Amino acid sequence: MTTTAERRSPAIVEAARRTLERPLASYQLVLGSTALLLGLGLIMVLSASSVYALRNYGNSFAIVERQLIFAVLGLVGAVIAARIPLRLMRKLILPFLLVSVVLILATFVPGVGVEVHGNRNWLPLAGGFQLQPSEFAKLALVLWIADLYARRQKYLSTPRYVLTPMVPIAGFVSLLVVGQHDLGTALVLFALIVGMLWVAGLPARHMGGILAGLFVLLVIAVATSPHRVARLLNFTNPQSDPESAGFQAIHGMMALARGGFWGVGLGGSRQKWGSLPEAHTDFILAVIGEELGLLGTFVVLVLFIVLAFAGIRIASRTTDPFVRYAASGIMIWIMVQAVINIGMVLGLLPVIGIPLPLISYGGSSLLVTLVAMGVLLNCAKTEPGARRALAAGRANRARDRVSRRS
């Protein structure tokens, strides 16, 4: 005898299948998951930064107000990126990459670049704002590599066309970021290089050489920094140095443990009162876990999984090579960064300064990530029937407005 749950299960699966068969399914999944992550991020930045902002600026809303400014700018950029013709976008990629590299080089100029927590990766702007050029380089590299591989689609079976000039140029940009002492961003760029080579079909023997070279670079980057060496050695046992190298990891785990399943309630975190460094930036997931519990953390994970699924779906369903590589690159970048941040907070990876996309405080990161989501929405419109469905939806909304007026 079948139970009610057993009868409902096939119906739910069938409804999900029919939903995913709709032309705009990927478009709506990207739009919905991005909106939810952004909304949750703004709420949690307010909660996690309120005490810090009050102490340092005399205003509990000072930090979230800055985040809101970049969110608005990012949304404007996302709308433009979602609507601009892909042919025009591809013409702007090389200038975008060149400007990003020039801005990174500017951070090395004495009196121009600003050093924060040992990383010289910021440029000052008006009103006390700062710009992180390496964040823009992520999107610029993704689009440049996608355009390069799309133009060489017929020749990618030859490793030489896959490796050059992609690896030298992307490697040069990554080394500039390493020179800024920003190992977290450099790791994302390294992962992006490897991921795009894999998507392009680079043979395993060549991929092994690339991985070995990147591993050597990472070892050198860590070995030349006593702070990174201490973090790495302390990774397996943070309690061995609880007042220094292990301090942040320990208090992040304390926040997660205190939250339990349901959390202590929005705004109720104790760690954000100064015990947890970078509570509103790199370790914001720990505050989410404390205030919203395991349930809230699980929601964040699910939203990133939905976003990854949508990106992979776009890349696999499109017939445009540029869209396939661009969607793949954006997903590699966003998901690698999310996995590193989540693993760091959960104690599964060493502590590295890297924000959680769309959620952590950081104007440059939020702005660029939202523009990347706009590019992904533009890519989703290349799926079969998507443009027709969007046009039909706009026509229906126009008719509804006319009928309401009459």
Side-chain angles (χ1 to χ4, degrees):
M1 184 175 179
T2 59
T3 64
T4 303
E6 290 173 338
R7 289 194 298 271
R8 287 178 179 173
S9 181
I12 294 173
V13 172
E14 179 62 22
R17 186 187 65 80
R18 287 197 303 269
T19 300
L20 291 176
E21 286 178 352
R22 297 168 58 186
L24 290 177
S26 299
Y27 186 95
Q28 292 164 342
L29 287 174
V30 172
L31 190 62
S33 57
T34 300
L36 291 172
L37 284 169
L38 176 62
L40 177 62
L42 291 172
I43 292 171
M44 294 312 303
V45 165
L46 171 60
S47 177
S49 68
S50 57
V51 176
Y52 176 87
L54 183 62
R55 286 175 176 172
N56 290 272
Y57 303 103
N59 177 11
S60 297
F61 300 95
I63 289 178
V64 75
E65 286 171 355
R66 294 187 175 201
Q67 188 79 338
L68 277 170
I69 291 173
F70 281 99
V72 171
L73 293 174
L75 289 172
V76 172
V79 171
I80 295 172
R83 295 188 175 185
I84 187 173
L86 291 176
R87 184 177 300 177
L88 176 58
M89 180 188 295
R90 294 177 67 174
K91 291 180 180 179
L92 299 174
I93 290 171
L94 184 57
F96 181 33
L97 178 61
L98 292 175
V99 169
S100 299
V101 172
V102 170
L103 290 175
I104 292 175
L105 290 171
T107 63
F108 294 96
V109 178
V112 177
V114 176
E115 185 173 316
V116 179
H117 300 312
N119 297 346
R120 193 179 181 83
N121 54 356
W122 298 89
L123 294 175
L125 297 176
F129 289 92
Q130 294 179 334
L131 187 72
Q132 188 175 356
S134 55
E135 290 292 339
F136 294 85
K138 295 175 185 177
L139 180 57
L141 275 179
V142 166
L143 296 179
W144 177 76
I145 295 170
D147 180 64
L148 175 69
Y149 283 169
R151 287 186 282 107
R152 293 186 170 189
Q153 181 65 28
K154 296 180 180 179
Y155 308 101
L156 292 183
S157 57
T158 303
R160 176 167 62 91
Y161 288 102
V162 179
L163 292 168
T164 58
M166 188 279 237
V167 171
I169 292 178
F172 171 71
V173 176
S174 302
L175 288 176
L176 287 179
V177 175
V178 172
Q180 295 177 319
H181 302 128
D182 187 357
L183 187 58
T185 301
L187 275 174
V188 175
L189 293 177
F190 289 154
L192 175 61
I193 293 172
V194 173
M196 293 302 282
L197 290 173
W198 177 75
V199 172
L202 185 69
R205 64 181 184 277
H206 295 88
M207 187 70 79
I210 295 293
L211 289 172
L214 292 177
F215 178 75
V216 171
L217 283 174
L218 286 175
V219 170
I220 294 173
V222 172
T224 54
S225 171
H227 174 71
R228 294 189 190 120
V229 172
R231 283 286 179 92
L232 184 62
L233 295 176
N234 186 260
F235 160 57
T236 55
N237 183 20
Q239 295 290 346
S240 63
D241 190 7
E243 297 301 323
S244 182
F247 186 86
Q248 195 172 24
I250 290 171
H251 283 269
M253 295 304 295
M254 288 172 61
L256 293 171
R258 182 170 180 261
F261 185 83
W262 297 108
V264 298
L266 189 62
S269 169
R270 290 181 182 174
Q271 294 299 323
K272 70 182 182 184
W273 284 79
S275 300
L276 178 63
E278 309 298 335
H280 58 291
T281 56
D282 301 341
F283 267 72
I284 196 168
L285 186 67
V287 179
I288 293 175
E290 185 177 7
E291 295 189 350
L292 305 183
L294 178 62
L295 183 62
T297 307
F298 181 72
V299 168
V300 173
L301 297 178
V302 169
L303 288 173
F304 276 113
I305 291 172
V306 170
L307 185 58
F309 170 77
I312 294 170
R313 191 171 186 268
I314 293 168
S316 61
R317 285 167 58 90
T318 186
T319 58
D320 187 330
F322 171 75
V323 169
R324 180 166 64 254
Y325 293 120
S328 300
I330 289 171
M331 279 302 99
I332 291 168
W333 152 31
I334 299 297
M335 291 306 124
V336 165
Q337 187 166 322
V339 167
I340 292 175
N341 180 277
I342 293 169
M344 173 185 73
V345 175
L346 296 180
L348 303 176
L349 293 172
V351 175
I352 300 174
I354 191 168
L356 186 59
L358 296 169
I359 293 182
S360 292
Y361 171 74
S364 298
S365 176
L366 180 62
L367 172 60
V368 175
T369 304
L370 285 173
V371 173
M373 293 302 99
V375 174
L376 198 60
L377 288 173
N378 204 334
C379 292
K381 292 192 290 188
T382 66
E383 288 193 28
R387 293 188 186 278
R388 192 180 307 112
L390 277 172
R394 284 194 291 267
N396 289 335
R397 288 192 294 271
R399 283 196 297 269
D400 290 340
R401 286 195 295 269
V402 171
S403 62
R404 284 196 297 267
R405 290 172 184 171
S406 59

